[in-house]
């Protein structure tokens, strides 16, 4: 009898522990889902550090603005992906930029914290994202009392940025494309050939076989070179771990909570399905062949996400009042992060030389 009683007590205790554990987990998940988000304050009387939802062009967008002096020149960054907001982790790499510029990041419509579960995204297109960007620029210029801003696109964000600079050149001092997109098929074939070459050098014949089987679809514009292969062989990042930046940003930075991570994942799925198909059918090199503002293509030497050769070919035929092709020799697809000090130095120098 004593043994049975003891077993019942242990069973009740175990059930109690399980219930308490489930309750704690549920509580932590609830807190994670709805925990308030913010961006840390920057010291200074004229500093700005804001993270808020702003109504832009009929949809709420998450906008982060940071800088030690709001009177400094304004830079708007257009993230890539599509759908890959940089707000979760970008503070890690922009402290130097914040000293001399007011930096604006925003989650594009349907991306990250700008993804809203019950919003209709059936009309999502690059033209709509361009109109959003131009409306955001108007808001920022008014909010910060600036007449013009510097526009910087990254990766797929350069597709949006190029079209925006062409449509609203009066709003921008200059356009800079980091990891500039160009002819997609040429770029993807460069990435494919690079990955195959590196796989052969590493003796990874299974990777070579896998990649060679994709050559036909890539040549037809129906397939991208697998990003895991490009990343594996150093064509995405050389000096940083870009995936780890996202994981640590999601977990430890203040700008995103658990609900926002869910939004992010939903947004990536939505945006990439629609926008990558649009890009493949509408070559940016045939859409924008001239800009009325100074143009800078900024590439990492080892970039095979958006290849240097394809970007150079586009640059050579693009008409602009002033243009410069810039190579960062130690980086791949993220020179602004991989060589952050050199990039900040270059941006400061380039800004000082701009005449407007």
């Amino acid at each position: 009898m004593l043994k049975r009683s003891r077993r019942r007590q242990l069973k009740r205790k175990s059930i109690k522990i399980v219930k308490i554990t489930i309750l704690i987990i549920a509580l932590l998940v609830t807190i994670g889902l709805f925990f308030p988000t913010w961006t840390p304050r920057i010291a200074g009387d004229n500093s700005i550090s804001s993270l808020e939802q702003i109504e832009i062009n009929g949809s709420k967008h998450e906008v982060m603005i940071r800088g030690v002096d709001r009177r400094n020149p304004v830079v708007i960054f257009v993230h890539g992906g599509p759908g890959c907001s940089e707000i979760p982790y970008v503070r890690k790499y922009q402290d130097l930029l914040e000293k001399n510029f007011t930096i604006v990041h925003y989650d594009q419509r349907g991306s990250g914290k700008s993804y809203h579960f019950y919003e209709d995204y059936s009309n999502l297109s690059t033209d709509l994202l361009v109109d959003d960007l131009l409306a955001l620029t108007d808001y920022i210029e008014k909010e910060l009392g600036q007449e013009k801003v510097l526009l910087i696109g990254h990766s797929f964000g350069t597709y949006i940025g190029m079209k925006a600079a062409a449509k609203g050149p009066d709003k921008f001092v200059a356009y800079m494309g980091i990891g500039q997109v160009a002819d997609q098929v040429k770029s993807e074939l460069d990435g494919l050939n690079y990955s195959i070459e590196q796989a052969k050098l590493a003796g990874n014949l299974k990777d070579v076989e896998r990649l060679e089987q994709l050559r036909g679809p890539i040549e037809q514009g129906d397939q991208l070179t697998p990003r895991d292969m490009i990343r594996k062989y150093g064509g995405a990042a050389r000096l940083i771990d870009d995936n780890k930046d996202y994981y640590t940003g999601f977990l430890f930075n203040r700008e995103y909570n658990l609900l926002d991570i869910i939004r992010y994942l939903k947004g990536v799925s939505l945006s990439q399905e629609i926008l990558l198909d649009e890009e493949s059918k509408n070559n940016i090199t045939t859409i924008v062949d001239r800009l009325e503002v100074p143009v800078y293509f900024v590439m990492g030497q080892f970039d095979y996400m958006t290849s240097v050769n394809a970007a150079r070919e586009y640059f050579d035929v693009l008409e602009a009042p002033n243009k410069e092709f810039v190579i960062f020799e130690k980086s791949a697809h993220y020179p602004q992060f991989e060589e952050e000090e050199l990039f900040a130095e270059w941006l400061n120098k380039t800004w000082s030389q701009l005449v407007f």
Side-chain angles (χ1 to χ4, degrees):
M1 291 292 293
L2 289 174
K3 288 183 178 180
R4 290 180 182 178
S5 177
R6 179 63 174 166
R7 284 197 296 268
R8 284 196 294 268
Q9 288 176 356
L10 289 174
K11 185 176 181 180
R12 286 196 295 268
K13 186 175 181 181
S14 297
I15 293 173
K16 185 177 181 181
I17 291 173
V18 170
K19 288 181 177 179
I20 292 173
T21 301
I22 292 173
L23 181 62
I24 291 173
I25 292 173
L27 181 61
L28 290 174
V29 169
T30 301
I31 292 173
L33 283 169
F34 302 107
F35 193 80
T37 58
W38 70 93
T39 192
R41 182 179 179 275
I42 300 173
D45 294 338
N46 292 312
S47 68
I48 182 169
S49 50
S50 65
L51 179 71
E52 57 184 329
Q53 290 265 312
I54 297 170
E55 184 85 15
I56 297 171
N57 199 24
S59 182
K60 289 184 177 180
H61 288 66
E62 190 75 10
V63 180
M64 182 174 77
I65 309 174
R66 295 182 56 83
V68 300
D69 191 334
R70 60 187 297 133
R71 297 168 298 187
N72 280 338
V74 177
V75 178
I76 295 180
F77 278 91
V78 187
H79 69 74
C84 296
S85 164
E86 294 178 351
I87 288 178
Y89 70 89
V90 74
R91 273 194 297 110
K92 177 179 179 180
Y93 297 109
Q94 70 175 40
D95 55 326
L96 293 175
L97 298 181
E98 291 173 4
K99 293 180 179 179
N100 297 303
F101 299 92
T102 298
I103 306 297
V104 179
H105 286 274
Y106 73 106
D107 287 358
Q108 294 164 26
R109 181 187 297 253
S111 299
K113 291 166 75 96
S114 298
Y115 177 89
H116 305 291
F117 292 102
Y118 301 107
E119 188 164 329
D120 179 12
Y121 294 108
S122 60
N123 65 337
L124 185 66
S125 68
T126 61
D127 285 339
L128 181 55
L129 296 184
V130 167
D131 289 342
D132 289 344
L133 174 54
L134 295 177
L136 170 67
T137 304
D138 289 339
Y139 169 85
I140 293 297
E141 290 174 352
K142 182 179 180 180
E143 181 72 11
L144 297 175
Q146 303 273 6
E147 293 185 0
K148 290 188 178 182
V149 304
L150 176 61
L151 180 62
I152 301 182
H154 178 230
S155 193
F156 185 81
T158 66
Y159 193 97
I160 308 300
M162 287 289 292
K163 293 178 69 172
K167 188 172 183 178
D170 56 308
K171 301 179 186 297
F172 306 110
V173 173
Y175 165 78
M176 296 179 178
I178 303 174
Q180 177 66 47
V181 299
D183 184 289
Q184 188 183 77
V185 172
K186 290 180 181 178
S187 180
E188 293 304 315
L189 285 172
D190 283 344
L192 176 69
N193 292 329
Y194 168 81
S195 298
I196 289 173
E197 178 184 354
Q198 295 303 308
K200 287 179 178 177
L201 290 173
N204 294 331
L205 299 185
K206 288 186 177 180
D207 286 350
V208 174
E209 182 180 359
R210 173 192 174 191
L211 290 165
E212 283 291 4
Q213 290 175 348
L214 298 175
R215 185 175 295 277
I218 290 173
E219 289 176 341
Q220 297 299 316
D222 297 327
Q223 173 82 42
L224 299 181
T225 301
R227 270 28 192 172
D228 63 327
M229 289 287 98
I230 294 177
R231 179 168 280 104
K232 180 176 181 178
Y233 294 110
R238 315 279 288 195
L239 304 175
I240 65 170
D241 186 334
D242 52 312
N243 281 338
K244 184 179 179 181
D245 282 335
Y246 269 113
Y247 301 148
T248 56
F250 285 147
L251 290 173
F252 302 114
N253 284 1
R254 302 293 183 260
E255 286 82 1
Y256 264 52
N257 60 25
L258 181 56
L259 184 61
D260 297 328
I261 297 172
I262 296 171
R263 288 193 179 106
Y264 175 91
L265 295 174
K266 292 283 287 184
V268 168
S269 177
L270 166 79
S271 299
Q272 294 197 354
E273 181 178 358
I274 297 172
L275 299 179
L276 287 178
D277 181 63
E278 181 183 344
E279 181 193 12
S280 69
K281 295 175 181 177
N282 298 275
N283 194 325
I284 189 65
T285 64
T286 62
I287 296 173
V288 180
D289 58 9
R290 177 176 177 79
L291 289 180
E292 302 299 331
V293 297
V295 173
Y296 301 83
F297 281 9
V298 182
M299 307 295 296
Q301 180 66 54
F302 300 98
D303 188 353
Y304 286 95
M305 300 282 274
T306 52
S307 86
V308 177
N309 290 335
R312 170 66 80 173
E313 288 187 21
Y314 185 20
F315 176 86
D316 288 342
V317 299
L318 180 68
E319 296 183 19
N322 182 41
K323 60 181 186 176
E324 183 178 350
F325 196 88
V326 183
I327 294 285
F328 283 80
E329 297 180 352
K330 297 181 179 180
S331 53
H333 194 53
Y334 303 88
Q336 76 277 33
F337 302 151
E338 297 180 77
E339 301 182 70
E340 59 176 312
E341 292 184 6
L342 191 60
F343 177 80
E345 179 182 331
W346 173 81
L347 188 61
N348 289 333
K349 180 179 179 181
T350 301
W351 176 265
S352 69
Q353 295 173 344
L354 283 169
V355 178
F356 54 92

